[in-house]
């Protein structure tokens, strides 16, 4: 009998399963609003010009392919810190941040989860917004954490249940990790206002929780600095320790290059040095070192003032296109007599549309429009060619 005879079939990923069904659908007017990928006016994943320029330079001057250091390219880490914490950040000047290049934002989450689990032992607990990106639960559960939910989304207003959130966070045991989406909350698109962040930061500090900020969409709502409000507020709060996992998958349109960053903040330089050593040990035990190419692309763009400006303008273009699609969808639905104004108040690639499971199923069966059964739609997959079709179809299924 095979060693693996007892292995059971694991359930498929619902989002990737949806993409497979979409790809197999022969209908020419099909639209995939399921997967979290930004596509441009032509429905393509963009190749940013700034990235292309670095890529061409790398190809002209081919270098030997050695290993990167365990924690990745030093320039990538330094430039990432500036993007997250802001240039001249007192935290950076004090040497309190240990940063490593990781295999996507997912890798940052996993490395941090393993490390925090080592520190917290049997007491490792994490509170996650309800709802959240499905992988949050998977990563932290697999790393040995006990999971808790905190209230977040209010389906009557399609906005934030801030009172519920504060109440739930206020009841957490000291030492609990609190996972917070910095901006462009996945899956709801519902974010906190700066004044609300200030209250959360205060509560987290008072209660002795460990903030863990996940920032996968920096620059997709209002801009690099505005979208980092939560990180900057924690940095200024006097909280001694917190964690930031971030990703360039979306902001550089480099999904498959797996470019992420883990930053762990300690009380002082010495604590950060110990954290850095533990981050490296954890990476070594998982995958040894990160991949070079994507890291070189990002570092190459961020290191050049000219390319960085080009990237920021391209990022601004993606952001504005998403805002325009949100506005367009709301307007078209209003023309059909349906009030979806909340879609314009939500931010980033996703919206919790409020569509029910049967409505989502009708969209797929009758109109070849694919969305998640939770009602999450990827507004970054809309473009001027499919917007009218999608709006008409939604208007029909909501009746
Ligand atoms: N966090 C959140 C909230 C995300 O939505 C994503 C990407 N879907 C990630 C982290 C991970 O990004 P990456 O693809 O870089 O692993």
């Amino acid at each position: 009998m095979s060693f693996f005879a007892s292995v059971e079939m694991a359930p498929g990923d619902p989002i990737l399963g949806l993409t497979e069904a979409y790809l197999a659908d022969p209908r020419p007017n099909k639209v995939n609003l399921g997967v979290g990928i930004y596509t441009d006016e032509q429905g393509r994943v963009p190749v940013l010009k700034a990235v292309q320029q670095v890529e061409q330079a790398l190809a002209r001057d081919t270098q030997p392919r050695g290993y990167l250091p365990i924690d990745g390219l030093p320039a990538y880490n330094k430039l990432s810190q500036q993007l997250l914490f802001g240039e001249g950040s007192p935290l950076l000047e004090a040497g309190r941040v240990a940063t490593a290049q990781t295999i996507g934002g997912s890798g940052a989450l996993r490395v941090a989860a393993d490390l925090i689990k080592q520190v917290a032992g049997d007491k490792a607990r994490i509170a996650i917004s309800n709802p959240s990106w499905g992988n949050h639960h998977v990563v932290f559960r697999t790393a040995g954490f006990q999971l808790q939910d905190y209230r977040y989304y209010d389906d009557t207003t399609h906005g934030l249940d801030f009172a519920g959130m504060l109440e739930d966070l206020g009841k957490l045991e000291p030492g609990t990790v609190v996972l917070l989406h910095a901006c462009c909350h996945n899956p709801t698109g519902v974010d906190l206002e700066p004044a609300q962040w200030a209250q959360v930061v205060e509560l987290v500090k008072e209660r002795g929780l460990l903030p863990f900020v996940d920032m996968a969409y920096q620059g997709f709502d209002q801009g690099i600095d505005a979208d980092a409000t939560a990180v900057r507020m924690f940095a200024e709060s006097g909280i001694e320790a917190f964690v930031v996992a971030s990703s360039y998958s979306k902001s550089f349109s480099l999904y498959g290059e797996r470019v992420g960053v883990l930053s762990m903040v300690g009380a002082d330089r010495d604590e950060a040095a110990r954290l850095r050593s533990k981050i490296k040990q954890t990476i070594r035990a998982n995958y040894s070192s990160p991949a070079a190419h994507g890291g070189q692309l990002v570092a190459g763009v961020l290191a050049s003032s000219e390319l960085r400006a080009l990237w920021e303008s391209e990022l601004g273009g993606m952001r504005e296109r998403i805002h325009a699609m949100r506005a367009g969808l709301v307007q078209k639905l209003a023309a059909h007599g349906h009030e979806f104004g909340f879609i314009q108040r939500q931010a980033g690639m996703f919206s919790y549309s409020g569509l029910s499971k049967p409505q989502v199923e009708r969209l797929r069966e009758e109109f070849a429009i694919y969305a998640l059964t939770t009602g999450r739609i990827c507004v970054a997959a809309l473009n001027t060619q499919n917007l009218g079709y999608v709006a008409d179809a939604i208007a029909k299924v909501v009746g």
Side-chain angles (χ1 to χ4, degrees):
M1 195 160 73
S2 157
F3 184 88
F4 298 120
S6 63
V7 173
E8 288 170 13
M9 185 65 88
D13 183 277
I15 301 181
L16 300 182
L18 197 69
T19 298
E20 278 167 26
Y22 164 81
L23 290 173
D25 193 324
R27 290 173 285 182
N29 51 355
K30 62 186 178 179
V31 183
N32 188 1
L33 304 180
V35 67
I37 291 185
Y38 174 96
T39 49
D40 61 15
E41 253 314 287
Q42 282 71 44
R44 288 183 305 231
V45 178
V47 179
L48 302 189
K49 289 195 189 76
V51 168
Q52 217 168 7
Q53 287 197 29
V54 178
E55 189 132 54
Q56 282 160 358
L58 288 172
R60 275 196 300 272
D61 180 24
T62 307
Q63 295 291 323
R65 298 286 206 280
Y67 287 120
L68 290 192
I70 296 172
D71 54 351
L73 283 171
Y76 177 99
N77 291 335
K78 184 154 193 275
L79 293 158
S80 297
Q81 287 184 333
Q82 289 168 1
L83 220 51
L84 294 166
F85 296 91
E87 274 170 59
S89 148
L91 237 63
L92 297 179
E93 312 231 307
R96 285 180 51 200
V97 190
T99 296
Q101 178 187 341
T102 54
I103 307 287
S106 306
L109 289 165
R110 181 60 207 237
V111 170
D114 282 353
L115 202 163
I116 298 168
K117 168 70 183 157
Q118 265 192 39
V119 179
D122 292 344
K123 294 204 195 82
R125 264 192 227 94
I126 187 160
I128 299 177
S129 66
N130 181 18
S132 196
W133 182 47
N135 245 14
H136 283 151
H137 307 95
V138 177
V139 166
F140 285 95
R141 192 182 301 118
T142 311
F145 279 70
Q146 287 174 41
L147 310 188
Q148 278 172 271
D149 274 350
Y150 61 84
R151 274 173 283 171
Y152 191 82
Y153 180 71
D154 180 346
D155 55 12
T156 54
T157 61
H158 306 284
L160 185 67
D161 178 2
F162 190 56
M165 178 180 181
L166 287 184
E167 199 183 321
D168 288 352
L169 296 184
K171 286 190 198 140
L172 296 175
E173 291 256 327
T176 304
V177 181
V178 186
L179 189 70
L180 297 155
H181 297 233
C183 63
C184 308
H185 184 270
N186 180 4
T188 64
V190 172
D191 287 342
L192 276 69
E193 299 287 341
Q196 293 172 322
W197 274 120
Q199 278 180 264
V200 168
V201 169
E202 211 36 56
L203 190 157
V204 161
K205 187 176 169 182
E206 257 172 44
R207 195 123 193 107
L209 308 171
L210 178 70
F212 190 133
V213 182
D214 184 8
M215 181 144 70
Y217 305 93
Q218 188 177 10
F220 260 62
D221 180 27
Q222 294 174 47
I224 296 292
D225 291 320
D227 291 352
T229 295
V231 176
R232 311 279 167 93
M233 281 192 183
F234 279 115
E236 284 164 16
S237 68
I239 288 178
E240 290 185 314
F242 66 99
V243 181
V244 183
S246 56
S247 164
Y248 294 120
S249 299
K250 277 81 184 181
S251 55
F252 275 77
S253 195
L254 283 174
Y255 302 84
E257 293 292 350
R258 313 306 298 126
V259 269
V261 190
L262 170 61
S263 297
M264 297 187 77
V265 179
D268 53 32
R269 192 179 292 274
D270 178 64
E271 195 167 298
R274 285 181 278 126
L275 284 170
R276 187 172 298 107
S277 75
K278 280 287 172 193
I279 292 173
K280 283 163 67 170
Q281 188 184 50
T282 311
I283 290 174
R284 188 79 180 139
N286 275 289
Y287 53 83
S288 208
S289 60
H293 188 68
Q296 283 169 340
L297 296 178
V298 171
V301 170
L302 295 180
S304 143
S305 52
E306 198 185 310
L307 293 180
R308 171 157 174 168
L310 177 57
W311 167 63
E312 284 204 37
S313 86
E314 294 187 278
L315 180 59
M318 293 197 275
R319 173 166 71 236
E320 277 154 29
R321 212 190 69 75
I322 293 176
H323 289 157
M325 289 302 112
R326 285 184 179 279
L329 185 59
V330 170
Q331 202 183 5
K332 286 195 187 308
L333 285 165
H336 284 287
H338 298 295
E339 161 52 27
F340 274 83
F342 62 86
I343 287 184
Q344 241 176 309
R345 292 190 290 277
Q346 297 171 343
M349 304 212 336
F350 303 112
S351 260
Y352 244 28
S353 63
L355 293 173
S356 66
K357 192 167 174 236
Q359 289 169 340
V360 168
E361 280 163 0
R362 255 191 86 192
L363 279 181
R364 175 170 157 180
E365 278 154 27
E366 288 177 36
F367 302 96
I369 295 172
Y370 288 73
L372 303 194
T373 48
T374 54
R376 185 190 90 166
I377 56 170
C378 178
V379 286
L382 294 171
N383 54 55
T384 48
Q385 293 160 58
N386 63 24
L387 183 63
Y389 176 68
V390 169
D392 291 353
I394 292 179
K396 287 205 183 93
V397 302
V398 297

